[in-house]
């Protein structure tokens, strides 16, 4: 049971409160509400007043044209924004329940870092970076991949490079629309003369967290994109799943291979 609730007006105050033992950062609250009773925190720090919710296209120095997304932006706001590329909207829409999308935030999805987190795979493949703030320190930047390995501070915004000529896709597999996903997949690449270049693939559902898979990318880099059935055959030896309530290991591996093949063939222009 929550015994203490705070809604600070500054990011530094949030960080001070979160430094106390047992404190939990609260954004949309969808992750916290999924806790079992014995896991519910006694102290929560609501970030609603301090997290930016804006979205805009900016020139981010060496990254060039980028999409800047405030960490407090909800999934539904991301879907409805004219600024969001179709692949980002598709990733956000993979959270099928609109009631959840109205609460779930971009920063919260990163903080939860679940195996099948909706936005993480596409952010990883696009080489997104984040701005975050730690207690007593200046605002810092990190790649999404680096931050997820060692989460720290509070995420303020996400910067997604929007390179021209990139093709990208983000897909999700589950038994029903609102069920927990069995796997997620995202990819991006350039197609030059029918040859795949600069391929990045990320998958979720095959470990505790979604991750980039350079071993998968290496299979198709510098080659013409194979037929879906050939992609699936090549992928199966690389996918190792665990059986659980969502399905057998064999089912999840075959479904994951099919999902990656679908993503590679479904990739559309990012811009």
């Amino acid at each position: 049971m929550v015994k203490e609730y705070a809604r600070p007006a500054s990011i530094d105050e949030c960080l001070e409160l979160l430094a106390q033992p047992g404190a939990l950062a609260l954004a949309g609250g969808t992750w916290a509400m999924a806790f079992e009773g014995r896991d519910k925190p006694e102290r929560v720090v609501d970030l609603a007043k301090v997290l930016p919710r804006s979205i805009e296209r900016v020139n981010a120095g060496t990254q060039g044209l980028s999409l800047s997304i405030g960490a407090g932006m909800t999934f539904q706001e991301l879907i409805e924004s004219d600024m969001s590329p179709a692949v980002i909207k598709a990733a956000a829409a993979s959270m099928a329940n609109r009631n959840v999308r109205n609460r779930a935030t971009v920063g919260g999805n990163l903080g939860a870092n679940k195996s099948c987190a909706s936005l993480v795979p596409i952010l990883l493949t696009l080489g997104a970076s984040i701005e975050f703030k730690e207690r007593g320190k200046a605002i810092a930047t990190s790649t999404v991949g680096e931050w997820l390995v060692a989460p720290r501070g509070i995420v303020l915004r996400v910067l997604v490079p929007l390179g021209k000529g990139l093709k990208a896709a983000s897909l999700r597999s589950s038994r029903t629309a609102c069920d927990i996903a069995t796997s997620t997949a995202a990819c991006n690449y350039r197609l030059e003369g029918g040859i795949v270049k600069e391929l990045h693939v990320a998958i979720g559902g095959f470990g505790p967290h979604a991750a980039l898979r350079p071993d998968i990318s290496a299979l198709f880099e510098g080659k013409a994109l194979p037929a879906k059935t050939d992609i699936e055959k090549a992928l199966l030896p690389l996918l190792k799943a665990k059986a659980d309530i969502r399905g057998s290991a064999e089912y999840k591996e075959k479904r994951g291979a099919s999902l990656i093949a679908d993503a590679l063939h479904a990739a559309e222009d990012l811009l």
Side-chain angles (χ1 to χ4, degrees):
M1 178 183 294
V2 175
K3 296 180 180 178
E4 296 182 29
Y5 169 83
R7 200 180 200 195
S10 75
I11 195 72
D12 288 326
E13 188 181 355
C14 286
L15 289 164
E16 289 298 324
L17 291 169
L18 287 171
Q20 299 178 32
L24 176 76
L26 189 72
T30 56
W31 182 55
M33 287 189 292
F35 289 177
E36 293 186 23
R38 64 178 181 274
D39 296 325
K40 290 192 183 296
E42 293 188 357
R43 180 183 295 113
V44 297
V45 181
D46 191 336
L47 308 181
K49 285 187 177 181
V50 301
L51 293 182
R53 297 178 69 164
S54 61
I55 182 170
E56 58 183 333
R57 295 191 177 188
V58 300
N59 190 325
T62 56
Q63 281 191 335
L65 180 64
S66 297
L67 185 68
S68 174
I69 309 171
M73 192 170 203
T74 69
F75 273 48
Q76 192 60 35
E77 289 170 339
L78 193 58
I79 291 169
E80 293 176 356
S81 172
D82 292 336
M83 294 286 182
S84 300
V87 69
I88 299 291
K89 293 186 179 190
S94 70
M95 188 177 287
N97 188 310
R98 180 162 181 154
N99 290 330
V100 178
R101 294 200 306 266
N102 283 336
R103 295 292 306 169
T105 64
V106 172
N109 202 240
L110 288 169
N113 196 15
K114 294 181 179 180
S115 179
C116 287
S118 301
L119 289 177
V120 170
I122 192 61
L123 294 180
L124 287 172
T125 62
L126 290 173
S129 60
I130 60 171
E131 292 182 356
F132 65 97
K133 180 78 165 63
E134 292 184 87
R135 186 186 182 201
K137 297 182 180 181
I139 293 174
T141 60
S142 168
T143 67
V144 167
E146 291 170 342
W147 189 87
L148 290 175
V149 170
R152 55 208 183 276
I154 296 174
V155 175
L156 301 177
R157 65 182 71 252
V158 181
L159 291 169
V160 186
L162 299 175
K164 290 184 178 180
L166 278 178
K167 292 184 173 295
S170 178
L171 300 178
R172 172 186 188 271
S173 173
S174 63
R175 295 172 299 182
T176 64
C178 290
D179 196 8
I180 298 172
T182 56
S183 57
T184 53
C187 68
N188 75 75
Y189 58 87
R190 298 182 190 276
L191 200 60
E192 299 179 5
I195 301 300
V196 173
K197 299 287 186 68
E198 300 175 36
L199 173 62
H200 297 88
V201 176
I203 59 174
F206 294 89
H209 311 292
L212 283 168
R213 293 292 301 265
D215 55 335
I216 292 176
S217 298
L219 292 175
F220 312 110
E221 177 69 29
K223 303 173 184 176
L225 192 63
K228 288 185 182 181
T229 53
D230 293 331
I231 293 175
E232 292 170 15
K233 289 178 183 178
L235 291 176
L236 274 175
L238 301 180
L239 300 180
K240 303 300 179 184
K242 290 185 178 180
D244 57 23
I245 193 171
R246 296 174 298 167
S248 67
E250 182 182 21
Y251 165 76
K252 289 196 284 185
E253 288 162 5
K254 287 184 177 180
R255 190 65 192 93
S258 176
L259 193 69
I260 297 168
D262 287 344
L264 288 169
H265 276 270
E268 297 180 348
D269 291 342
L270 180 61
L271 290 178

